[in-house]
Amino acid sequence: GKARKTRKFAEVKRLINPKDPRLNQKVPGQEKPKQPVTKEDEVKTVTVAPSAMFFSYNSQLGPPYHIILDTNFINFSIQNKLDPMKASMDCLYAKCTIYITDCVMGELEKLGQKYRVALRIARDPRFERLPCTHKGIYADDCICDRVAQSRCYIVATCDRDLKRRIRKIPGVPIMYIANRKYSIERMPEAFGAPRQ
């Protein structure tokens, strides 16, 4: 019969020592090319959370409220026969200061004769003007930047895209028009804003 082979106990393949000098010898022409820095390797900057924020609760909000109006919010207010000053006070049960940026004024002026009533409302002496230092008159970017820098504002808009952008900024409430009256979203419950 066949001769039985005895298996060697714990037989292991012979390995080369990691400190072997033969491993460190460089062969000319086999150097790896340097890889360009990819997006994953770049250093990511994290925005510092404002000191007034406690998670998504904003302690800077409180009466008197500071409201920034958007272009279409003024137009919708006219359509619904709402006075921005009175309707915002009815919504928040407190004194409100309404601000209009230079961009919003520029947009209204560009819209021409059709929106002259909106322009006349925007020039109301009760509303305060916020000067803009940037180029162009695209109000959405201006409002987003201003609100991200100082979180003491409520943004009044009916624009879906702007609402979507502002929802990404924590602690900024959004005022909009629903059922022929002003309503507010993401307002802390500590303040007397009606819940919808």
Side-chain angles (χ1 to χ4, degrees):
K2 288 183 182 176
R4 276 194 191 152
K5 285 184 182 176
T6 54
R7 291 185 70 203
K8 289 176 185 165
F9 181 71
E11 188 179 13
V12 181
K13 267 189 182 178
R14 291 196 62 194
L15 296 174
I16 192 164
N17 189 351
K19 292 177 184 174
D20 197 297
R22 289 174 292 178
L23 288 174
N24 296 331
Q25 286 177 353
K26 286 185 179 177
V27 180
Q30 274 196 337
E31 290 155 10
K32 288 182 180 177
K34 285 187 178 179
Q35 291 181 337
V37 178
T38 58
K39 281 191 176 179
E40 290 134 21
D41 299 337
E42 286 177 14
V43 178
K44 291 178 182 171
T45 54
V46 179
T47 52
V48 180
S51 57
M53 296 290 292
F54 180 75
F55 295 103
S56 64
Y57 176 80
N58 189 354
S59 61
Q60 273 185 337
L61 288 171
Y65 295 106
H66 306 287
I67 303 167
I68 294 182
L69 295 191
D70 186 28
T71 315
N72 61 13
F73 192 81
I74 300 168
N75 295 332
F76 277 102
S77 297
I78 294 164
Q79 281 177 19
N80 290 299
K81 297 182 174 66
L82 293 167
D83 172 32
M85 206 76 182
K86 187 178 178 298
S88 56
M89 284 185 185
D90 290 345
C91 174
L92 294 166
Y93 306 136
K95 189 179 185 299
C96 300
T97 312
I98 292 178
Y99 296 93
I100 290 179
T101 61
D102 287 347
C103 294
V104 172
M105 288 301 280
E107 275 188 6
L108 283 168
E109 283 163 10
K110 262 192 174 179
L111 289 170
Q113 263 319 91
K114 197 178 173 187
Y115 295 93
R116 64 185 180 279
V117 181
L119 192 59
R120 194 180 298 155
I121 285 174
R123 288 197 175 126
D124 191 324
R126 297 176 298 171
F127 300 167
E128 290 191 30
R129 288 288 294 274
L130 289 173
C132 296
T133 53
H134 57 83
K135 288 181 180 178
I137 56 157
Y138 185 55
D140 289 15
D141 288 345
C142 172
I143 290 170
C144 279
D145 292 344
R146 200 176 285 273
V147 159
Q149 282 165 9
S150 52
R151 311 260 170 113
C152 62
Y153 295 111
I154 296 168
V155 178
T157 184
C158 295
D159 184 3
R160 276 191 192 152
D161 294 332
L162 182 57
K163 274 187 188 176
R164 203 170 290 137
R165 282 175 70 179
I166 286 167
R167 281 187 191 117
K168 290 176 185 167
I169 307 168
V172 180
I174 301 167
M175 190 180 270
Y176 59 97
I177 298 171
N179 303 330
R180 291 192 174 273
K181 64 176 190 284
Y182 290 177
S183 182
I184 198 149
E185 166 187 318
R186 293 170 66 195
M187 191 71 167
E189 287 173 24
F191 304 120
R195 292 187 70 199
Q196 292 296 320

